[in-house]
Amino acid sequence: MSILGALGLGWESWPWDLPADAAAEQRKGYDIRAAKAITWQAVPFNAFPQEGLFGHERDWFITNDIAFFSTMDGESLILVQNTWHGFPDPPEWGLASRPSNRNDVRWAQWGFFPNIPKKWYVPGES
């Protein structure tokens, strides 16, 4: 993790104390996805699908502060909007993904970050 990450001012690994080599790989994964033009959808908490989303029930999204989701390039993506954020808590946003239609695969975390990448469209965010 960088000094900026430690101060809550930039990208931060997930978890924050990830070893440096694993954090570098996580950052690489974030950078790849941050460069894509991703259109996000708000999690429909008031009309949540009975069959769930990505194999998860509504409560899982609430418990994990997941506010948005998308599918792109063969990946299911979730965008966390942390209720508590800023130093000493993680930055506001977090990203995770896994292969589409693979509910048996664990989510890969791509870190926390304070600002939405410029190429992403997140409803209600500028």
Side-chain angles (χ1 to χ4, degrees):
M1 171 182 38
S2 70
I3 300 275
L4 291 177
L7 295 174
L9 301 174
W11 180 90
E12 184 176 298
S13 64
W14 182 355
W16 68 271
D17 61 351
L18 201 61
D21 57 339
E25 284 299 311
Q26 197 175 85
R27 177 59 193 250
K28 188 184 306 182
Y30 165 78
D31 289 342
I32 289 167
R33 289 155 184 85
K36 296 180 180 186
I38 300 174
T39 299
W40 294 91
Q41 298 176 51
V43 174
F45 289 111
N46 293 330
F48 201 83
Q50 188 172 5
E51 68 278 7
L53 283 172
F54 300 147
H56 296 284
E57 296 179 357
R58 181 178 183 271
D59 287 347
W60 182 81
F61 285 82
I62 292 169
T63 301
N64 290 290
D65 286 337
I66 300 164
F68 300 94
F69 69 99
S70 186
T71 301
M72 181 176 195
D73 296 339
E75 275 193 312
S76 298
L77 299 119
I78 52 176
L79 184 60
V80 170
Q81 186 173 23
N82 287 309
T83 302
W84 301 102
H85 55 85
F87 188 78
D89 296 310
E92 183 173 3
W93 301 99
L95 176 65
S97 70
R98 70 178 182 198
S100 294
N101 301 315
R102 291 295 311 271
N103 295 348
D104 59 319
V105 175
R106 293 181 60 133
W107 292 93
Q109 287 93 10
W110 304 116
F112 291 106
F113 42 96
N115 301 306
I116 296 293
K118 293 184 187 310
K119 288 190 171 187
W120 291 6
Y121 170 73
V122 177
E125 298 297 317
S126 335

